[in-house]
């Protein structure tokens, strides 16, 4: 798209899809989202929600998956579990990730799915669910573990 004679704006949707080369196994964004949620639940991630960004104008991805851990150690463990599961399924690392230094908010960008892992106080401060209020919110109910009697 050309604004004037010298300025061009690239198609943001096309760039989003092209910014990470698809190598290895291909899975749908829904399968990727489900794998991320499973990984979070396996490491006892709390208050897991998924924001379906499909109906949001100028969306940057298909899904935001958000959860929290009670400490920096747990936040790092959840992030590591997500990385391992996604790599196992797709053979790819995150296009971009950040926040590992202090582990209050770790972000992992898998192009179609963006993962946010927070400590509770940081999550409530940034309130992504409210910020992206136009997105369809799905609360994830994690089934309790089977307990021996």
């Amino acid at each position: 798209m050309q604004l004037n004679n010298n300025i061009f704006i690239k198609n943001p949707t096309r760039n989003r899809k092209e910014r990470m080369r698809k190598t290895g196994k291909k899975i749908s964004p829904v399968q990727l989202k489900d794998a991320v949620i499973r990984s979070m639940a396996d490491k006892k991630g709390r208050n897991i929600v998924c924001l379906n960004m499909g109906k949001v104008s100028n969306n940057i991805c298909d899904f935001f998956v958000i959860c929290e851990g009670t400490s920096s150690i747990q936040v790092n463990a959840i992030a590591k579990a997500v990385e391992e599961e996604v790599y196992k399924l797709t053979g790819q690392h995150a296009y971009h990730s950040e926040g590992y230094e202090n582990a209050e908010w770790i972000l992992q960008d898998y192009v179609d799915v963006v993962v946010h892992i927070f400590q509770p106080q940081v999550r409530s401060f940034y309130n992504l669910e409210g910020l992206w209020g136009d997105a369809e919110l799905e609360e994830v109910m994690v089934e309790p573990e089977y307990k021996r009697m």
Side-chain angles (χ1 to χ4, degrees):
M1 170 185 200
Q2 186 173 3
L3 290 179
N4 62 34
N5 292 339
N6 300 325
I7 299 173
F8 289 88
I9 295 179
K10 295 179 182 177
N11 182 337
T13 304
R14 185 171 151 251
N15 286 342
R16 178 171 63 89
K17 296 296 182 187
E18 291 179 356
R19 67 183 176 183
M20 188 161 84
R21 179 168 291 158
K22 299 291 185 184
T23 58
K25 302 173 195 167
K26 294 183 181 182
I27 64 173
S28 73
V30 173
Q31 291 171 313
L32 182 58
K33 169 197 66 124
D34 291 343
V36 167
I37 290 171
R38 253 191 331 273
S39 299
M40 290 174 164
D42 287 348
K43 292 296 179 185
K44 311 287 189 245
R46 299 169 60 192
N47 302 320
I48 302 171
V49 299
C50 177
L51 297 176
N52 185 341
M53 305 297 283
K55 295 180 182 175
V56 176
S57 62
N58 297 323
N59 63 0
I60 57 172
C61 63
D62 293 328
F63 299 100
F64 273 7
V65 182
I66 305 168
C67 83
E68 59 190 55
T70 57
S71 67
S72 60
I73 293 170
Q74 186 184 19
V75 168
N76 271 315
I78 294 168
K80 180 83 169 155
V82 169
E83 286 174 6
E84 289 172 355
E85 183 66 19
V86 171
Y87 187 79
K88 184 171 76 174
L89 289 174
T90 65
Q92 298 180 68
H93 296 287
Y95 170 71
H96 177 77
S97 59
E98 60 185 75
Y100 289 87
E101 298 79 27
N102 58 8
E104 291 182 347
W105 175 5
I106 293 179
L107 176 134
Q108 299 168 320
D109 182 353
Y110 292 102
V111 180
D112 295 324
V113 177
V114 177
V115 178
H116 301 273
I117 308 164
F118 289 100
Q119 287 190 30
Q121 69 279 7
V122 178
R123 183 179 185 175
S124 65
F125 179 80
Y126 286 101
N127 188 20
L128 291 184
E129 294 95 325
L131 181 66
W132 293 98
D134 294 344
E136 182 181 325
L137 178 79
E138 172 192 343
E139 291 186 38
V140 177
M141 301 303 290
V142 179
E143 299 210 9
E145 292 181 40
Y146 176 78
K147 295 184 181 182
R148 295 184 189 174
M149 296 199 186

